[in-house]
């Protein structure tokens, strides 16, 4: 698996430090509020697990699975819900926990979809942001790292379902997805 990585972009230590800062910020901002963390599966699974453990106020967790790129490195722009939330979010404070904002199409769809359910508030926490590739404007509220326009894997992010279990974020060798 490691031989497929061109270089490490963010080390495990860098990720953990930033995630703990975000957790502290979220704990302060939502103190006394009824907060639901909505993890977008599967890419945000590691971020959700670590972020939630750095939040010191009570939270509920829910999960949504949406269609991903499959074995491609570009967004089709078409988003489908594969698994919806377990519980209604009306009148609750909702924080979407996402792995990466690239074109922004996925988050735009999610924001539109979840806003229609009338939450008390709706905000976005994303671990990574690739601003160079944005097609639709998306304002994120909690942002881990801005990264260059490279296809990354690890810490939950995959290529063809592989590499999610790497503890760091790395740039995949282009020959892997150009095969
Ligand atoms: P968007 O709709 O913003 O273009 O794409 C968002 C989704 O595309 C993310 O949730 C993620 O699953 C996937 N994605 C975007 N960029 C990358 C990347 O560099 N690596 C991986 N593994 N997935 C990405």
């Amino acid at each position: 698996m490691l031989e497929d990585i061109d270089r490490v972009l963010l080390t495990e230590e860098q990720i953990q430090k930033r995630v703990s800062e975000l957790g502290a910020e979220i704990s302060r901002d939502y103190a006394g509020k009824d907060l639901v963390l909505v993890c977008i599966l599967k890419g945000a699974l590691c971020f959700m697990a670590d972020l939630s453990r750095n939040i010191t106020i009570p939270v509920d967790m829910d999960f949504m699975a949406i269609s991903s790129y499959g074995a491609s490195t570009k967004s089709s722009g078409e988003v489908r819900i594969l698994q919806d939330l377990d519980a209604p979010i009306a009148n609750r404070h909702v924080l979407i926990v996402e792995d990466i904002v690239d074109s922004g199409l996925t988050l735009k769809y999610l924001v539109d979809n979840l806003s229609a359910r009338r939450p008390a508030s709706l905000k976005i926490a994303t671990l990574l942001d690739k601003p160079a590739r944005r097609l639709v404007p998306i304002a994120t509220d909690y942002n881990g790292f801005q990264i260059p326009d490279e296809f990354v894997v690890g810490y939950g992010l995959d290529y063809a379902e592989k590499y999610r279990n790497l503890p760091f974020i790395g740039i995949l060798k282009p020959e892997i997805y150009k095969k």
Side-chain angles (χ1 to χ4, degrees):
M1 185 163 61
L2 288 177
E3 63 280 6
D4 297 346
I5 303 300
D6 199 31
R7 67 187 172 91
V8 174
L9 188 63
L10 298 165
T11 65
E12 192 174 353
E13 291 72 25
Q14 284 174 301
I15 297 170
Q16 294 302 332
K17 179 170 178 288
R18 186 71 187 116
V19 171
S20 80
E21 288 168 359
L22 292 175
E25 222 181 298
I26 292 165
S27 307
R28 275 196 304 274
D29 293 353
Y30 286 92
K33 293 189 174 152
D34 176 30
L35 175 60
V36 190
L37 301 177
V38 170
C39 174
I40 309 304
L41 295 171
K42 300 171 190 168
L45 80 102
C46 294
F47 183 39
M48 176 75 159
D50 287 338
L51 182 68
S52 60
R53 286 178 293 177
N54 279 285
I55 295 177
T56 53
I57 58 168
V59 294
D60 279 12
M61 298 187 199
D62 211 337
F63 300 84
M64 215 165 159
I66 50 166
S67 55
S68 71
Y69 294 2
S72 159
T73 60
K74 298 249 159 46
S75 181
S76 63
E78 199 184 287
V79 183
R80 268 187 319 128
I81 296 181
L82 305 176
Q83 181 195 314
D84 207 344
L85 298 177
D86 279 347
I89 52 168
N91 304 318
R92 307 193 69 189
H93 294 280
V94 174
L95 182 61
I96 298 174
V97 179
E98 177 61 304
D99 53 358
I100 181 165
V101 199
D102 189 18
S103 68
L105 293 167
T106 306
L107 270 172
K108 164 90 174 65
Y109 172 87
L110 284 170
V111 165
D112 289 348
N113 184 290
L114 296 180
S115 306
R117 307 182 197 195
R118 304 269 167 242
S121 69
L122 182 63
K123 289 193 173 180
I124 301 168
T126 184
L127 180 70
L128 305 174
D129 180 12
K130 257 194 231 175
R133 286 170 43 99
R134 199 75 88 250
L135 294 178
V136 288
I138 283 287
T140 57
D141 303 278
Y142 303 95
N143 209 326
F145 303 91
Q146 282 206 350
I147 63 165
D149 184 10
E150 307 262 17
F151 190 76
V152 294
V153 293
Y155 195 71
L157 288 110
D158 74 312
Y159 173 66
E161 292 302 325
K162 299 281 185 305
Y163 312 104
R164 293 193 199 276
N165 57 321
L166 290 171
F168 57 83
I169 305 253
I171 297 174
L172 198 59
K173 286 183 179 162
E175 60 258 38
I176 303 296
Y177 51 82
K178 287 190 180 141
K179 262 185 209 161

